[in-house]
Structure formats: C-alpha cells, structure tokens
Amino acid sequence: MNSDPLPRSHHSVCPGCGAVLKDIDGPTHPYMLSSPTCFAAYTELLAFEYSDPALMPTHRLSVDAFAVQHPGDGVSRQAIQSVGLHLARLAVQLQHLHVPNRSADIMLLLGKYKGELEALSPPIEFSMTIADVQADAGTPAHICAVTNWAKSAWNDWREHHDYILDWAERHLSIDNR
Ligand SMILES: [Zn+2]
C-alpha cells in the first residue's frame, strides 16, 4: 500500500476501491462506480481471461472481486443487489457453501431473491485492489493474484459475512433440496 495518502500528479483515487492509478479518459460502469483507469484495468484483466481458457477458472472471482469493491452509491437497487449477489457468489466459491448442483448458476438461483437484499455499508478501505493484480494479468501468476485479490475483498467485507452467508444458505438449500 502507498503510505502517501495524496495521489501523485496525474493520478487519481478510484471512488470505489481506492486504487491510486494514472488518470486516463474512458468509460466507466453505470453503477459499479470507479475511475476510468480502474475500469480499464478491469476490462483488460477480463480480456486476458476470455482469450486464454487456462485463466477462465478465476473469471468469476475477478468479476465478483471488482463488483464488491465498486459498490456504487448504496442507494440504487441495482447497485445494492449487485453487491449482495457478488458477495454471495464469492462466499459460494471461497467459503464452499453447499451447492448440491455444481453446475447451478448461482446468480440465476439467488437472483430470484435479490429484492430482499439490504444496502450494506462497504469497508472503509480495501487491502488489495486491481492495482495490485494488474501487473500479473495474463502471466503465469494470474490465477494466484486474482485468487488472493478475491479472498482479500471477501475478507474486507467481514462485517457483513453473517448476513450474506445466512441469506445465501437459506435460499440455496430451499432451491436444491
Ligand atoms: Zn476501483
């Protein structure tokens, strides 16, 4: 982590994950609010995964880690539901929640109940961001870097683990009995 809280010139702090990255102009996601640079690093990471089948095993972790680190304004239902669903899918992958049908689409299964999800206050800061993963994207260290990033993102949300685990376990057990 950078001990200097002030961004260097021509750098900016991502409003979602807090990554300090060089400024660029570019698109951002409509509700996973981020700096354009952070979003560009994310789309680049995904491009490596789409182009190399060996990297696909961590693809869902990449998507989930980015989503829960960019929780948006905490007001729009879309943003609230995105955070809850992606936290739940991280839990399924990292906490090994019981999912009887391994091929089940977790987002589809749990998506039916997304209207119940409450707004969760995000962590004050994240211990790892895409800035820590960027250099490893597409290299032999890709899988390891993304896995560590996803674990840290899940861990940083620890205040809400019980809420997410309860919610996900309740619905997954009902739907798979
Ligand atoms: Zn970011």
Side-chain angles (χ1 to χ4, degrees), residues 115-141:
E116 302 170 0
L117 286 163
E118 293 167 16
L120 305 175
S121 53
I124 303 208
E125 62 177 1
F126 289 103
S127 30
M128 254 184 104
T129 69
I130 198 154
D132 302 299
V133 178
Q134 202 174 24
D136 291 325
T139 75

mmCIF file with all atom_site columns, all heavy atoms in Angstrom, residues 115-141:
data_model
loop_
_atom_site.group_PDB
_atom_site.id
_atom_site.type_symbol
_atom_site.label_atom_id
_atom_site.label_alt_id
_atom_site.label_comp_id
_atom_site.label_asym_id
_atom_site.label_entity_id
_atom_site.label_seq_id
_atom_site.pdbx_PDB_ins_code
_atom_site.Cartn_x
_atom_site.Cartn_y
_atom_site.Cartn_z
_atom_site.occupancy
_atom_site.B_iso_or_equiv
_atom_site.pdbx_formal_charge
_atom_site.auth_seq_id
_atom_site.auth_comp_id
_atom_site.auth_asym_id
_atom_site.auth_atom_id
_atom_site.pdbx_PDB_model_num
ATOM 1   N N   . GLY A 1 115 ? -34.397 -8.943  -4.498  1.00 0.00 ? 115 GLY A N   1
ATOM 2   C CA  . GLY A 1 115 ? -35.210 -7.847  -3.970  1.00 0.00 ? 115 GLY A CA  1
ATOM 3   C C   . GLY A 1 115 ? -35.145 -7.744  -2.455  1.00 0.00 ? 115 GLY A C   1
ATOM 4   O O   . GLY A 1 115 ? -35.452 -6.700  -1.874  1.00 0.00 ? 115 GLY A O   1
ATOM 5   N N   . GLU A 1 116 ? -34.745 -8.840  -1.793  1.00 0.00 ? 116 GLU A N   1
ATOM 6   C CA  . GLU A 1 116 ? -34.656 -8.824  -0.322  1.00 0.00 ? 116 GLU A CA  1
ATOM 7   C C   . GLU A 1 116 ? -33.381 -8.174  0.176   1.00 0.00 ? 116 GLU A C   1
ATOM 8   O O   . GLU A 1 116 ? -33.282 -7.833  1.353   1.00 0.00 ? 116 GLU A O   1
ATOM 9   C CB  . GLU A 1 116 ? -34.621 -10.266 0.212   1.00 0.00 ? 116 GLU A CB  1
ATOM 10  C CG  . GLU A 1 116 ? -35.797 -11.118 -0.158  1.00 0.00 ? 116 GLU A CG  1
ATOM 11  C CD  . GLU A 1 116 ? -35.548 -12.590 0.214   1.00 0.00 ? 116 GLU A CD  1
ATOM 12  O OE1 . GLU A 1 116 ? -34.461 -12.917 0.746   1.00 0.00 ? 116 GLU A OE1 1
ATOM 13  O OE2 . GLU A 1 116 ? -36.446 -13.401 -0.031  1.00 0.00 ? 116 GLU A OE2 1
ATOM 14  N N   . LEU A 1 117 ? -32.387 -8.065  -0.693  1.00 0.00 ? 117 LEU A N   1
ATOM 15  C CA  . LEU A 1 117 ? -31.058 -7.618  -0.232  1.00 0.00 ? 117 LEU A CA  1
ATOM 16  C C   . LEU A 1 117 ? -31.092 -6.190  0.304   1.00 0.00 ? 117 LEU A C   1
ATOM 17  O O   . LEU A 1 117 ? -31.698 -5.300  -0.288  1.00 0.00 ? 117 LEU A O   1
ATOM 18  C CB  . LEU A 1 117 ? -30.041 -7.735  -1.370  1.00 0.00 ? 117 LEU A CB  1
ATOM 19  C CG  . LEU A 1 117 ? -29.616 -9.169  -1.694  1.00 0.00 ? 117 LEU A CG  1
ATOM 20  C CD1 . LEU A 1 117 ? -28.952 -9.239  -3.073  1.00 0.00 ? 117 LEU A CD1 1
ATOM 21  C CD2 . LEU A 1 117 ? -28.679 -9.715  -0.620  1.00 0.00 ? 117 LEU A CD2 1
ATOM 22  N N   . GLU A 1 118 ? -30.403 -6.017  1.428   1.00 0.00 ? 118 GLU A N   1
ATOM 23  C CA  . GLU A 1 118 ? -30.336 -4.701  2.054   1.00 0.00 ? 118 GLU A CA  1
ATOM 24  C C   . GLU A 1 118 ? -29.046 -4.000  1.636   1.00 0.00 ? 118 GLU A C   1
ATOM 25  O O   . GLU A 1 118 ? -28.069 -4.649  1.305   1.00 0.00 ? 118 GLU A O   1
ATOM 26  C CB  . GLU A 1 118 ? -30.319 -4.850  3.586   1.00 0.00 ? 118 GLU A CB  1
ATOM 27  C CG  . GLU A 1 118 ? -31.610 -5.382  4.152   1.00 0.00 ? 118 GLU A CG  1
ATOM 28  C CD  . GLU A 1 118 ? -31.441 -5.801  5.607   1.00 0.00 ? 118 GLU A CD  1
ATOM 29  O OE1 . GLU A 1 118 ? -30.450 -5.412  6.245   1.00 0.00 ? 118 GLU A OE1 1
ATOM 30  O OE2 . GLU A 1 118 ? -32.330 -6.524  6.105   1.00 0.00 ? 118 GLU A OE2 1
ATOM 31  N N   . ALA A 1 119 ? -29.072 -2.670  1.738   1.00 0.00 ? 119 ALA A N   1
ATOM 32  C CA  . ALA A 1 119 ? -27.845 -1.902  1.485   1.00 0.00 ? 119 ALA A CA  1
ATOM 33  C C   . ALA A 1 119 ? -26.855 -2.197  2.606   1.00 0.00 ? 119 ALA A C   1
ATOM 34  O O   . ALA A 1 119 ? -27.207 -2.152  3.784   1.00 0.00 ? 119 ALA A O   1
ATOM 35  C CB  . ALA A 1 119 ? -28.157 -0.413  1.446   1.00 0.00 ? 119 ALA A CB  1
ATOM 36  N N   . LEU A 1 120 ? -25.629 -2.544  2.246   1.00 0.00 ? 120 LEU A N   1
ATOM 37  C CA  . LEU A 1 120 ? -24.600 -2.855  3.237   1.00 0.00 ? 120 LEU A CA  1
ATOM 38  C C   . LEU A 1 120 ? -23.527 -1.766  3.174   1.00 0.00 ? 120 LEU A C   1
ATOM 39  O O   . LEU A 1 120 ? -23.123 -1.368  2.090   1.00 0.00 ? 120 LEU A O   1
ATOM 40  C CB  . LEU A 1 120 ? -23.971 -4.222  2.939   1.00 0.00 ? 120 LEU A CB  1
ATOM 41  C CG  . LEU A 1 120 ? -24.934 -5.405  2.819   1.00 0.00 ? 120 LEU A CG  1
ATOM 42  C CD1 . LEU A 1 120 ? -24.181 -6.670  2.412   1.00 0.00 ? 120 LEU A CD1 1
ATOM 43  C CD2 . LEU A 1 120 ? -25.665 -5.639  4.141   1.00 0.00 ? 120 LEU A CD2 1
ATOM 44  N N   . SER A 1 121 ? -23.092 -1.312  4.344   1.00 0.00 ? 121 SER A N   1
ATOM 45  C CA  . SER A 1 121 ? -22.045 -0.286  4.343   1.00 0.00 ? 121 SER A CA  1
ATOM 46  C C   . SER A 1 121 ? -20.711 -0.935  3.971   1.00 0.00 ? 121 SER A C   1
ATOM 47  O O   . SER A 1 121 ? -20.297 -1.910  4.588   1.00 0.00 ? 121 SER A O   1
ATOM 48  C CB  . SER A 1 121 ? -21.946 0.364   5.717   1.00 0.00 ? 121 SER A CB  1
ATOM 49  O OG  . SER A 1 121 ? -21.798 -0.644  6.704   1.00 0.00 ? 121 SER A OG  1
ATOM 50  N N   . PRO A 1 122 ? -20.066 -0.415  2.937   1.00 0.00 ? 122 PRO A N   1
ATOM 51  C CA  . PRO A 1 122 ? -18.824 -1.046  2.474   1.00 0.00 ? 122 PRO A CA  1
ATOM 52  C C   . PRO A 1 122 ? -17.666 -0.824  3.449   1.00 0.00 ? 122 PRO A C   1
ATOM 53  O O   . PRO A 1 122 ? -17.718 0.075   4.277   1.00 0.00 ? 122 PRO A O   1
ATOM 54  C CB  . PRO A 1 122 ? -18.538 -0.347  1.142   1.00 0.00 ? 122 PRO A CB  1
ATOM 55  C CG  . PRO A 1 122 ? -19.305 0.914   1.172   1.00 0.00 ? 122 PRO A CG  1
ATOM 56  C CD  . PRO A 1 122 ? -20.451 0.742   2.118   1.00 0.00 ? 122 PRO A CD  1
ATOM 57  N N   . PRO A 1 123 ? -16.623 -1.646  3.339   1.00 0.00 ? 123 PRO A N   1
ATOM 58  C CA  . PRO A 1 123 ? -15.422 -1.433  4.162   1.00 0.00 ? 123 PRO A CA  1
ATOM 59  C C   . PRO A 1 123 ? -14.855 -0.036  3.924   1.00 0.00 ? 123 PRO A C   1
ATOM 60  O O   . PRO A 1 123 ? -15.015 0.519   2.828   1.00 0.00 ? 123 PRO A O   1
ATOM 61  C CB  . PRO A 1 123 ? -14.444 -2.485  3.634   1.00 0.00 ? 123 PRO A CB  1
ATOM 62  C CG  . PRO A 1 123 ? -15.264 -3.474  2.894   1.00 0.00 ? 123 PRO A CG  1
ATOM 63  C CD  . PRO A 1 123 ? -16.477 -2.768  2.409   1.00 0.00 ? 123 PRO A CD  1
ATOM 64  N N   . ILE A 1 124 ? -14.209 0.514   4.927   1.00 0.00 ? 124 ILE A N   1
ATOM 65  C CA  . ILE A 1 124 ? -13.610 1.848   4.791   1.00 0.00 ? 124 ILE A CA  1
ATOM 66  C C   . ILE A 1 124 ? -12.499 1.827   3.760   1.00 0.00 ? 124 ILE A C   1
ATOM 67  O O   . ILE A 1 124 ? -12.331 2.758   2.987   1.00 0.00 ? 124 ILE A O   1
ATOM 68  C CB  . ILE A 1 124 ? -13.079 2.333   6.157   1.00 0.00 ? 124 ILE A CB  1
ATOM 69  C CG1 . ILE A 1 124 ? -14.266 2.309   7.102   1.00 0.00 ? 124 ILE A CG1 1
ATOM 70  C CG2 . ILE A 1 124 ? -12.359 3.686   6.040   1.00 0.00 ? 124 ILE A CG2 1
ATOM 71  C CD1 . ILE A 1 124 ? -14.318 3.217   8.238   1.00 0.00 ? 124 ILE A CD1 1
ATOM 72  N N   . GLU A 1 125 ? -11.713 0.742   3.776   1.00 0.00 ? 125 GLU A N   1
ATOM 73  C CA  . GLU A 1 125 ? -10.714 0.609   2.714   1.00 0.00 ? 125 GLU A CA  1
ATOM 74  C C   . GLU A 1 125 ? -10.513 -0.859  2.374   1.00 0.00 ? 125 GLU A C   1
ATOM 75  O O   . GLU A 1 125 ? -10.853 -1.741  3.159   1.00 0.00 ? 125 GLU A O   1
ATOM 76  C CB  . GLU A 1 125 ? -9.392  1.284   3.095   1.00 0.00 ? 125 GLU A CB  1
ATOM 77  C CG  . GLU A 1 125 ? -8.729  0.694   4.308   1.00 0.00 ? 125 GLU A CG  1
ATOM 78  C CD  . GLU A 1 125 ? -7.373  1.361   4.576   1.00 0.00 ? 125 GLU A CD  1
ATOM 79  O OE1 . GLU A 1 125 ? -6.992  2.278   3.829   1.00 0.00 ? 125 GLU A OE1 1
ATOM 80  O OE2 . GLU A 1 125 ? -6.709  0.943   5.531   1.00 0.00 ? 125 GLU A OE2 1
ATOM 81  N N   . PHE A 1 126 ? -9.956  -1.086  1.202   1.00 0.00 ? 126 PHE A N   1
ATOM 82  C CA  . PHE A 1 126 ? -9.697  -2.448  0.744   1.00 0.00 ? 126 PHE A CA  1
ATOM 83  C C   . PHE A 1 126 ? -8.199  -2.730  0.821   1.00 0.00 ? 126 PHE A C   1
ATOM 84  O O   . PHE A 1 126 ? -7.385  -1.891  0.455   1.00 0.00 ? 126 PHE A O   1
ATOM 85  C CB  . PHE A 1 126 ? -10.201 -2.629  -0.683  1.00 0.00 ? 126 PHE A CB  1
ATOM 86  C CG  . PHE A 1 126 ? -11.707 -2.639  -0.774  1.00 0.00 ? 126 PHE A CG  1
ATOM 87  C CD1 . PHE A 1 126 ? -12.395 -1.523  -1.222  1.00 0.00 ? 126 PHE A CD1 1
ATOM 88  C CD2 . PHE A 1 126 ? -12.435 -3.752  -0.372  1.00 0.00 ? 126 PHE A CD2 1
ATOM 89  C CE1 . PHE A 1 126 ? -13.788 -1.520  -1.282  1.00 0.00 ? 126 PHE A CE1 1
ATOM 90  C CE2 . PHE A 1 126 ? -13.825 -3.763  -0.433  1.00 0.00 ? 126 PHE A CE2 1
ATOM 91  C CZ  . PHE A 1 126 ? -14.499 -2.637  -0.887  1.00 0.00 ? 126 PHE A CZ  1
ATOM 92  N N   . SER A 1 127 ? -7.854  -3.932  1.295   1.00 0.00 ? 127 SER A N   1
ATOM 93  C CA  . SER A 1 127 ? -6.434  -4.239  1.482   1.00 0.00 ? 127 SER A CA  1
ATOM 94  C C   . SER A 1 127 ? -5.712  -4.540  0.170   1.00 0.00 ? 127 SER A C   1
ATOM 95  O O   . SER A 1 127 ? -4.497  -4.414  0.091   1.00 0.00 ? 127 SER A O   1
ATOM 96  C CB  . SER A 1 127 ? -6.256  -5.376  2.488   1.00 0.00 ? 127 SER A CB  1
ATOM 97  O OG  . SER A 1 127 ? -7.325  -6.263  2.490   1.00 0.00 ? 127 SER A OG  1
ATOM 98  N N   . MET A 1 128 ? -6.452  -4.954  -0.851  1.00 0.00 ? 128 MET A N   1
ATOM 99  C CA  . MET A 1 128 ? -5.858  -5.183  -2.180  1.00 0.00 ? 128 MET A CA  1
ATOM 100 C C   . MET A 1 128 ? -6.823  -4.632  -3.208  1.00 0.00 ? 128 MET A C   1
ATOM 101 O O   . MET A 1 128 ? -8.034  -4.716  -3.007  1.00 0.00 ? 128 MET A O   1
ATOM 102 C CB  . MET A 1 128 ? -5.742  -6.694  -2.427  1.00 0.00 ? 128 MET A CB  1
ATOM 103 C CG  . MET A 1 128 ? -4.366  -7.281  -2.343  1.00 0.00 ? 128 MET A CG  1
ATOM 104 S SD  . MET A 1 128 ? -4.471  -9.053  -2.795  1.00 0.00 ? 128 MET A SD  1
ATOM 105 C CE  . MET A 1 128 ? -3.802  -9.001  -4.455  1.00 0.00 ? 128 MET A CE  1
ATOM 106 N N   . THR A 1 129 ? -6.312  -4.118  -4.301  1.00 0.00 ? 129 THR A N   1
ATOM 107 C CA  . THR A 1 129 ? -7.184  -3.648  -5.387  1.00 0.00 ? 129 THR A CA  1
ATOM 108 C C   . THR A 1 129 ? -6.646  -4.179  -6.710  1.00 0.00 ? 129 THR A C   1
ATOM 109 O O   . THR A 1 129 ? -5.599  -4.840  -6.744  1.00 0.00 ? 129 THR A O   1
ATOM 110 C CB  . THR A 1 129 ? -7.218  -2.095  -5.471  1.00 0.00 ? 129 THR A CB  1
ATOM 111 O OG1 . THR A 1 129 ? -5.929  -1.650  -5.916  1.00 0.00 ? 129 THR A OG1 1
ATOM 112 C CG2 . THR A 1 129 ? -7.559  -1.479  -4.129  1.00 0.00 ? 129 THR A CG2 1
ATOM 113 N N   . ILE A 1 130 ? -7.343  -3.832  -7.764  1.00 0.00 ? 130 ILE A N   1
ATOM 114 C CA  . ILE A 1 130 ? -6.898  -4.283  -9.081  1.00 0.00 ? 130 ILE A CA  1
ATOM 115 C C   . ILE A 1 130 ? -5.502  -3.736  -9.407  1.00 0.00 ? 130 ILE A C   1
ATOM 116 O O   . ILE A 1 130 ? -4.767  -4.328  -10.193 1.00 0.00 ? 130 ILE A O   1
ATOM 117 C CB  . ILE A 1 130 ? -7.929  -3.902  -10.173 1.00 0.00 ? 130 ILE A CB  1
ATOM 118 C CG1 . ILE A 1 130 ? -7.689  -4.745  -11.429 1.00 0.00 ? 130 ILE A CG1 1
ATOM 119 C CG2 . ILE A 1 130 ? -7.907  -2.408  -10.464 1.00 0.00 ? 130 ILE A CG2 1
ATOM 120 C CD1 . ILE A 1 130 ? -8.881  -4.954  -12.284 1.00 0.00 ? 130 ILE A CD1 1
ATOM 121 N N   . ALA A 1 131 ? -5.117  -2.649  -8.749  1.00 0.00 ? 131 ALA A N   1
ATOM 122 C CA  . ALA A 1 131 ? -3.769  -2.100  -8.969  1.00 0.00 ? 131 ALA A CA  1
ATOM 123 C C   . ALA A 1 131 ? -2.695  -3.106  -8.544  1.00 0.00 ? 131 ALA A C   1
ATOM 124 O O   . ALA A 1 131 ? -1.586  -3.106  -9.081  1.00 0.00 ? 131 ALA A O   1
ATOM 125 C CB  . ALA A 1 131 ? -3.592  -0.792  -8.204  1.00 0.00 ? 131 ALA A CB  1
ATOM 126 N N   . ASP A 1 132 ? -3.022  -3.969  -7.573  1.00 0.00 ? 132 ASP A N   1
ATOM 127 C CA  . ASP A 1 132 ? -2.064  -4.981  -7.108  1.00 0.00 ? 132 ASP A CA  1
ATOM 128 C C   . ASP A 1 132 ? -2.051  -6.221  -8.002  1.00 0.00 ? 132 ASP A C   1
ATOM 129 O O   . ASP A 1 132 ? -1.178  -7.074  -7.866  1.00 0.00 ? 132 ASP A O   1
ATOM 130 C CB  . ASP A 1 132 ? -2.416  -5.423  -5.672  1.00 0.00 ? 132 ASP A CB  1
ATOM 131 C CG  . ASP A 1 132 ? -2.420  -4.253  -4.716  1.00 0.00 ? 132 ASP A CG  1
ATOM 132 O OD1 . ASP A 1 132 ? -1.364  -3.628  -4.564  1.00 0.00 ? 132 ASP A OD1 1
ATOM 133 O OD2 . ASP A 1 132 ? -3.484  -3.953  -4.136  1.00 0.00 ? 132 ASP A OD2 1
ATOM 134 N N   . VAL A 1 133 ? -3.041  -6.339  -8.865  1.00 0.00 ? 133 VAL A N   1
ATOM 135 C CA  . VAL A 1 133 ? -3.208  -7.543  -9.690  1.00 0.00 ? 133 VAL A CA  1
ATOM 136 C C   . VAL A 1 133 ? -2.762  -7.282  -11.131 1.00 0.00 ? 133 VAL A C   1
ATOM 137 O O   . VAL A 1 133 ? -2.293  -8.183  -11.829 1.00 0.00 ? 133 VAL A O   1
ATOM 138 C CB  . VAL A 1 133 ? -4.711  -7.964  -9.676  1.00 0.00 ? 133 VAL A CB  1
ATOM 139 C CG1 . VAL A 1 133 ? -4.957  -9.181  -10.549 1.00 0.00 ? 133 VAL A CG1 1
ATOM 140 C CG2 . VAL A 1 133 ? -5.177  -8.212  -8.255  1.00 0.00 ? 133 VAL A CG2 1
ATOM 141 N N   . GLN A 1 134 ? -2.944  -6.027  -11.523 1.00 0.00 ? 134 GLN A N   1
ATOM 142 C CA  . GLN A 1 134 ? -2.735  -5.578  -12.906 1.00 0.00 ? 134 GLN A CA  1
ATOM 143 C C   . GLN A 1 134 ? -1.460  -6.141  -13.559 1.00 0.00 ? 134 GLN A C   1
ATOM 144 O O   . GLN A 1 134 ? -1.505  -6.653  -14.675 1.00 0.00 ? 134 GLN A O   1
ATOM 145 C CB  . GLN A 1 134 ? -2.643  -4.053  -12.859 1.00 0.00 ? 134 GLN A CB  1
ATOM 146 C CG  . GLN A 1 134 ? -2.944  -3.364  -14.137 1.00 0.00 ? 134 GLN A CG  1
ATOM 147 C CD  . GLN A 1 134 ? -2.966  -1.844  -13.934 1.00 0.00 ? 134 GLN A CD  1
ATOM 148 O OE1 . GLN A 1 134 ? -2.356  -1.315  -13.010 1.00 0.00 ? 134 GLN A OE1 1
ATOM 149 N NE2 . GLN A 1 134 ? -3.673  -1.168  -14.802 1.00 0.00 ? 134 GLN A NE2 1
ATOM 150 N N   . ALA A 1 135 ? -0.345  -6.068  -12.856 1.00 0.00 ? 135 ALA A N   1
ATOM 151 C CA  . ALA A 1 135 ? 0.935   -6.472  -13.453 1.00 0.00 ? 135 ALA A CA  1
ATOM 152 C C   . ALA A 1 135 ? 0.992   -7.976  -13.717 1.00 0.00 ? 135 ALA A C   1
ATOM 153 O O   . ALA A 1 135 ? 1.741   -8.434  -14.577 1.00 0.00 ? 135 ALA A O   1
ATOM 154 C CB  . ALA A 1 135 ? 2.091   -6.063  -12.553 1.00 0.00 ? 135 ALA A CB  1
ATOM 155 N N   . ASP A 1 136 ? 0.191   -8.751  -12.969 1.00 0.00 ? 136 ASP A N   1
ATOM 156 C CA  . ASP A 1 136 ? 0.198   -10.214 -13.130 1.00 0.00 ? 136 ASP A CA  1
ATOM 157 C C   . ASP A 1 136 ? -0.829  -10.699 -14.152 1.00 0.00 ? 136 ASP A C   1
ATOM 158 O O   . ASP A 1 136 ? -0.851  -11.888 -14.487 1.00 0.00 ? 136 ASP A O   1
ATOM 159 C CB  . ASP A 1 136 ? -0.086  -10.892 -11.785 1.00 0.00 ? 136 ASP A CB  1
ATOM 160 C CG  . ASP A 1 136 ? 1.071   -10.701 -10.807 1.00 0.00 ? 136 ASP A CG  1
ATOM 161 O OD1 . ASP A 1 136 ? 2.230   -10.681 -11.268 1.00 0.00 ? 136 ASP A OD1 1
ATOM 162 O OD2 . ASP A 1 136 ? 0.813   -10.563 -9.599  1.00 0.00 ? 136 ASP A OD2 1
ATOM 163 N N   . ALA A 1 137 ? -1.695  -9.806  -14.619 1.00 0.00 ? 137 ALA A N   1
ATOM 164 C CA  . ALA A 1 137 ? -2.757  -10.216 -15.545 1.00 0.00 ? 137 ALA A CA  1
ATOM 165 C C   . ALA A 1 137 ? -2.154  -10.833 -16.799 1.00 0.00 ? 137 ALA A C   1
ATOM 166 O O   . ALA A 1 137 ? -1.244  -10.261 -17.400 1.00 0.00 ? 137 ALA A O   1
ATOM 167 C CB  . ALA A 1 137 ? -3.630  -9.019  -15.909 1.00 0.00 ? 137 ALA A CB  1
ATOM 168 N N   . GLY A 1 138 ? -2.645  -12.010 -17.131 1.00 0.00 ? 138 GLY A N   1
ATOM 169 C CA  . GLY A 1 138 ? -2.180  -12.677 -18.342 1.00 0.00 ? 138 GLY A CA  1
ATOM 170 C C   . GLY A 1 138 ? -0.846  -13.396 -18.195 1.00 0.00 ? 138 GLY A C   1
ATOM 171 O O   . GLY A 1 138 ? -0.360  -13.990 -19.154 1.00 0.00 ? 138 GLY A O   1
ATOM 172 N N   . THR A 1 139 ? -0.241  -13.349 -17.023 1.00 0.00 ? 139 THR A N   1
ATOM 173 C CA  . THR A 1 139 ? 1.039   -14.043 -16.790 1.00 0.00 ? 139 THR A CA  1
ATOM 174 C C   . THR A 1 139 ? 0.765   -15.343 -16.024 1.00 0.00 ? 139 THR A C   1
ATOM 175 O O   . THR A 1 139 ? -0.365  -15.584 -15.589 1.00 0.00 ? 139 THR A O   1
ATOM 176 C CB  . THR A 1 139 ? 1.999   -13.178 -15.944 1.00 0.00 ? 139 THR A CB  1
ATOM 177 O OG1 . THR A 1 139 ? 1.556   -13.211 -14.573 1.00 0.00 ? 139 THR A OG1 1
ATOM 178 C CG2 . THR A 1 139 ? 2.037   -11.737 -16.441 1.00 0.00 ? 139 THR A CG2 1
ATOM 179 N N   . PRO A 1 140 ? 1.792   -16.176 -15.805 1.00 0.00 ? 140 PRO A N   1
ATOM 180 C CA  . PRO A 1 140 ? 1.574   -17.396 -15.010 1.00 0.00 ? 140 PRO A CA  1
ATOM 181 C C   . PRO A 1 140 ? 1.112   -17.106 -13.581 1.00 0.00 ? 140 PRO A C   1
ATOM 182 O O   . PRO A 1 140 ? 0.591   -18.004 -12.900 1.00 0.00 ? 140 PRO A O   1
ATOM 183 C CB  . PRO A 1 140 ? 2.954   -18.061 -15.018 1.00 0.00 ? 140 PRO A CB  1
ATOM 184 C CG  . PRO A 1 140 ? 3.619   -17.546 -16.264 1.00 0.00 ? 140 PRO A CG  1
ATOM 185 C CD  . PRO A 1 140 ? 3.126   -16.147 -16.415 1.00 0.00 ? 140 PRO A CD  1
ATOM 186 N N   . ALA A 1 141 ? 1.287   -15.871 -13.110 1.00 0.00 ? 141 ALA A N   1
ATOM 187 C CA  . ALA A 1 141 ? 0.859   -15.519 -11.751 1.00 0.00 ? 141 ALA A CA  1
ATOM 188 C C   . ALA A 1 141 ? -0.603  -15.064 -11.693 1.00 0.00 ? 141 ALA A C   1
ATOM 189 O O   . ALA A 1 141 ? -1.112  -14.739 -10.615 1.00 0.00 ? 141 ALA A O   1
ATOM 190 C CB  . ALA A 1 141 ? 1.764   -14.424 -11.197 1.00 0.00 ? 141 ALA A CB  1
#
